[in-house]
Amino acid sequence: MNKRSFTAPYIIWIIGGTLIPLAMMFYYGLTDESGTWTLQNILAIFEPGNLRALWKSLLYSAACTVVCLLLSYPIALILRNVKRAKGVIVFIFLLPMWVNFLLRTMAWQVLLEKGGVINGILSWIGLPKARLINTPGAIIMGMVYDFLPFMLLPINNVLSKVPNSLTEAAYDLGASKAQVITKVLLPLSVPGIVSGITMVFVPALTTFVISNMLGGGKILLIGNIIEQEFTVGDNWNLGAGLSIVMMIFILVSMAFIAKFDKKGEGLA
Amino acid sequence: MSSTLVELEHISKSYGSKLIIDDLSLTIHENEFVTLLGPSGCGKTTTLRIIGGFEMPDSGRVLFEGRDITNTPPNHRNLNTVFQKYALFPNMTIAENIAFGLRISKKSKQYIDDKIKYALKLVNMEDFADRSVDSISGGQQQRVAIARAIVNEPKLLLLDEPLGALDLKLRQEMQYELIRLKNELGITFIYVTHDQEEALTMSDTVVVMNQGYIQQMGTPESIYNEPENAFVAAFIGDSNIIPGFMVQDKLVDILGVRFDCVDSGFGTNTPVDVVIRPEDVILGKPGEGRMDGRVTHIIFKGVHYEMEVMAGGFEWLVQSTVGHPVGEEVSISVDPFNIQIMNKPASEDEEAIKLDE
């Protein structure tokens, strides 16, 4: 046995888990039901319904990413100065991740539905019931809840590695506390922000579970459309074609993001 | 001496139950090179950080040009710091690092450009303006850190063990560089180090600290030649610290043998500590000196031999350019002006300091 044979499991994994499925996806995506080559499954993205779903997906996942960023950054800044309880606080943020993803989303369903917990509290204090579930707000809320840790962790990682001497040096050179953040901490945490954005934006862009459960099937994201082509519509070719489009979307955004995160520090 | 720049008045500081600085008062003059010298944990860095504004004293005041700045944040103090690990901003070029303070204070572009050029020239780094921080060596980063601090024209420069991470040769070079800079710029330096050689080489005034107290303050010569207590004598260079007693003025009894000395005012028959530097012990043929002994160890140190001589029940540390082999009988004598007499520790505090060292 030479050293090379140790790579066998990984080669099998790559071939069986990545290359063959990808090839299948491209085959289905670039052919029609009779097996002739066509681009119509790709071009189907330009149909009004699909285009609208893609636009909504982009909008919601962008909103989710921005909200996650705005929530995470201040926490990460605070955590920088926390010494003893830091591990506990990060742990609390991670805790929900250990609950099954579907269960977590379902919990929001129970909270937001018409006769749900939140409306129960509203009517108990004498306020009118609000329509919460099946709204864009509910979907974005669910996305933020599910993906927040993926934003917080990389930012926290990078920020807590910035030595105190750097912020002290900036302070010493005349910077105000706000300037210490904008001129030193923010630029140094770009790698963390960038990988946080990738890790939130990409899954939010393609999710169909959250929009299914909190959108009541009324709000279709691109993920829902692809899912339906496979399950309900039984049109694997179209589903695969749209998936290819999404993949290209994600690859382009990753390439764009990689420009910022040259050192890959955020993922460390 | 010129006028007062910084005054520390009765500063105390503790972390939890650990007292770091105890009722410390210190006056620093304009254009002075002051070194705070002491072992780690002696409070020297905390003292510097209190002057810089990064730590608040528990009690006491910091005066800067007569104005109370105890509660002034660092960004409003007219001083700059060179940090132990340089603390250069890794996301900026060398020039951007140097420009940082000037940009914050909204100086004109022309002014900033001129200042960068001037500062880089001052630290001999003209060609490095557009390089990144991690592409230059530790010694070069050190120079940039100094340049970044001095372009802001502070009245006072604080240096926290800035040469600690450099190798010996570079450290010696930078010592001369710092003296030159201080003389060219005419600003006051407060320098923190645990390296006694560094302190003696560069300073106008050395402040020896231990356990949060100032042990002795004075010129490098006076600190070395006339240590006031056993801690200072032991910390600065090598020394023989021998218990003895003053027989009368200018006559001391060491290990049962009477030596002439130059100190007076200790009374008669008073117990004292005697400090004799190893290079001041003169070895001769047996019977020619004040007492006889035998060489027990010898090492060659380059410039001199270092020997241990057993005489009068005490192991004397001796440095001499002439080596004597182990086992050789020798005599010991000391010139009167090389015998330094110190009071025995009187207070409990001083006693504690001595025991802890």
Side-chain angles (χ1 to χ4, degrees):
Chain A
M1 274 236 324
N2 60 16
K3 275 189 202 163
R4 270 191 152 178
S5 49
F6 285 103
T7 61
Y10 305 104
I11 289 170
I12 292 167
W13 180 264
I14 289 168
I15 292 171
T18 310
L19 294 181
I20 293 176
L22 262 183
M24 298 273 284
M25 192 178 94
F26 273 94
Y27 172 73
Y28 275 105
L30 297 172
T31 57
D32 62 13
E33 274 157 68
S34 61
T36 37
W37 296 100
T38 173
L39 278 177
Q40 75 180 45
N41 297 321
I42 306 285
L43 297 172
I45 193 69
F46 294 111
E47 283 169 23
N50 295 341
L51 215 50
R52 209 178 310 128
L54 177 64
W55 172 242
K56 260 189 208 162
S57 289
L58 282 171
L59 209 63
Y60 291 8
S61 49
C64 160
T65 310
V66 170
V67 172
C68 282
L69 183 60
L70 291 180
L71 286 176
S72 300
Y73 207 83
I75 302 167
L77 279 179
I78 293 167
L79 281 173
R80 233 184 87 74
N81 297 317
V82 175
K83 286 187 185 80
R84 251 176 301 163
K86 185 170 186 158
V88 179
I89 296 171
V90 174
F91 176 74
I92 290 169
F93 274 98
L94 294 185
L95 210 55
M97 284 175 77
W98 298 352
V99 175
N100 180 284
F101 172 73
L102 289 175
L103 213 60
R104 262 183 292 158
T105 314
M106 215 181 282
W108 275 104
Q109 225 174 359
V110 177
L111 285 172
L112 296 174
E113 67 194 358
K114 246 187 188 154
V117 178
I118 293 178
N119 271 320
I121 295 170
L122 282 179
S123 61
W124 186 68
I125 55 172
L127 289 170
K129 286 196 172 186
R131 216 195 97 184
L132 299 171
I133 198 140
N134 304 346
T135 58
I139 295 176
I140 294 171
M141 168 82 240
M143 286 176 171
V144 169
Y145 184 74
D146 280 328
F147 301 133
L148 184 64
F150 297 106
M151 183 66 87
L152 177 63
L153 280 183
I155 294 178
N156 177 52
N157 239 338
V158 173
L159 269 186
S160 54
K161 274 189 217 149
V162 176
N164 276 333
S165 58
L166 285 189
T167 51
E168 280 182 357
Y171 208 24
D172 180 80
L173 290 165
S176 65
K177 287 204 164 147
Q179 283 171 320
V180 170
I181 293 174
T182 56
K183 291 190 187 286
V184 178
L185 290 175
L186 206 57
L188 287 176
S189 58
V190 165
I193 295 173
V194 161
S195 63
I197 290 175
T198 329
M199 286 162 78
V200 170
F201 184 73
V202 172
L205 188 63
T206 51
T207 183
F208 59 88
V209 176
I210 296 172
S211 46
N212 254 351
M213 295 176 92
L214 301 177
K218 282 175 196 154
I219 298 169
L220 289 182
L221 300 186
I222 192 71
N224 300 92
I225 292 197
I226 294 173
E227 184 221 359
Q228 281 178 6
E229 292 306 334
F230 282 99
T231 56
V232 187
D234 209 19
N235 188 345
W236 285 30
N237 304 83
L238 183 54
L242 293 176
S243 297
I244 293 171
V245 175
M246 288 313 290
M247 216 177 78
I248 292 165
F249 240 92
I250 290 166
L251 283 176
V252 168
S253 64
M254 295 276 276
F256 177 71
I257 277 160
K259 258 178 66 176
F260 288 94
D261 193 15
K262 279 181 198 126
K263 294 174 189 165
E265 279 166 16
L267 293 165
Chain B
M1 197 139 211
S2 51
S3 61
T4 301
L5 184 68
V6 181
E7 280 166 279
L8 301 181
E9 288 183 348
H10 306 290
I11 300 279
S12 291
K13 172 82 185 172
S14 40
Y15 294 123
S17 60
K18 192 167 166 22
L19 191 64
I20 303 293
I21 302 173
D22 191 8
D23 194 31
L24 180 138
S25 295
L26 179 64
T27 301
I28 291 154
H29 298 94
E30 256 171 43
N31 211 4
E32 200 177 1
F33 195 130
V34 180
T35 298
L36 306 180
L37 172 69
S40 56
C42 73
K44 57 190 192 299
T45 296
T46 307
T47 306
L48 194 80
R49 288 175 62 81
I50 285 173
I51 300 172
F54 301 111
E55 304 276 352
M56 283 284 183
D58 298 334
S59 62
R61 297 200 302 163
V62 182
L63 301 183
F64 191 86
E65 298 184 303
R67 203 164 52 87
D68 186 345
I69 59 160
T70 317
N71 296 311
T72 310
N75 51 335
H76 294 131
R77 295 187 181 200
N78 192 7
L79 53 84
N80 287 108
T81 308
V82 177
F83 290 86
Q84 196 166 5
K85 290 187 181 119
Y86 323 140
L88 299 179
F89 305 119
N91 53 320
M92 302 177 197
T93 65
I94 304 303
E96 284 167 344
N97 261 283
I98 295 172
F100 188 90
L102 300 171
R103 289 202 175 129
I104 294 277
S105 55
K106 301 224 158 46
K107 295 279 193 290
S108 74
K109 191 175 179 312
Q110 186 58 50
Y111 180 87
I112 294 176
D113 288 347
D114 289 349
K115 271 288 185 185
I116 293 173
K117 240 182 238 146
Y118 162 77
L120 285 173
K121 196 169 159 84
L122 204 62
V123 295
N124 295 324
M125 298 267 301
E126 284 110 317
D127 302 330
F128 292 83
D130 297 320
R131 293 276 289 271
S132 72
V133 169
D134 45 18
S135 73
I136 60 174
S137 71
Q140 291 167 332
Q141 290 192 21
Q142 179 55 66
R143 287 157 194 262
V144 175
I146 293 168
R148 183 179 68 173
I150 59 179
V151 287
N152 304 293
E153 297 178 354
K155 285 242 160 124
L156 175 62
L157 193 64
L158 306 178
L159 301 107
D160 185 7
E161 306 219 14
L163 308 184
L166 306 181
D167 61 57
L168 182 67
K169 192 92 187 138
L170 201 54
R171 204 154 67 215
Q172 287 168 343
E173 253 175 64
M174 283 303 290
Q175 287 174 10
Y176 289 107
E177 201 91 329
L178 281 172
I179 299 169
R180 176 181 68 83
L181 274 175
K182 194 226 138 212
N183 292 336
E184 267 175 45
L185 296 166
I187 52 183
T188 307
F189 278 34
I190 303 182
Y191 190 98
V192 160
T193 184
H194 62 265
D195 184 326
Q196 41 111 359
E197 191 206 311
E198 220 168 88
L200 296 177
T201 311
M202 293 190 289
S203 321
D204 300 318
T205 305
V206 179
V207 180
V208 185
M209 292 180 68
N210 191 34
Q211 306 267 310
Y213 296 92
I214 293 179
Q215 299 286 328
Q216 189 175 350
M217 198 173 147
T219 62
E221 289 88 346
S222 71
I223 296 276
Y224 187 86
N225 292 330
E226 292 142 37
E228 277 169 17
N229 60 40
F231 172 79
V232 177
F235 192 73
I236 313 283
D238 300 316
S239 50
N240 296 291
I241 303 174
I242 314 162
F245 65 89
M246 276 315 262
V247 180
Q248 61 190 62
D249 280 353
K250 302 191 178 180
L251 190 62
V252 64
D253 182 297
I254 305 170
L255 308 166
V257 179
R258 292 188 174 191
F259 282 77
D260 291 324
C261 65
V262 293
D263 293 279
S264 53
F266 288 86
T268 52
N269 291 321
T270 322
V272 290
D273 278 331
V274 181
V275 177
I276 297 167
R277 294 289 180 189
E279 68 270 25
D280 294 333
V281 179
I282 303 163
L283 297 182
K285 291 204 175 94
E288 283 183 357
R290 307 290 305 178
M291 58 204 302
D292 288 345
R294 180 193 294 270
V295 178
T296 57
H297 289 99
I298 179 164
I299 339 171
F300 179 59
K301 294 276 236 179
V303 180
H304 56 253
Y305 292 93
E306 192 164 283
M307 287 160 282
E308 280 171 10
V309 176
M310 196 61 170
F314 183 85
E315 194 134 86
W316 296 69
L317 187 68
V318 182
Q319 290 169 353
S320 168
T321 48
V322 183
H324 297 267
V326 172
E328 190 175 307
E329 299 284 339
V330 290
S331 70
I332 281 178
S333 51
V334 185
D335 287 331
F337 50 84
N338 283 330
I339 297 176
Q340 169 70 13
I341 310 291
M342 304 180 303
N343 275 312
K344 284 266 189 200
S347 70
E348 278 186 10
D349 276 342
E350 278 182 47
E351 190 70 64
I353 292 156
K354 203 186 167 201
L355 288 174
D356 276 349
E357 93 194 22

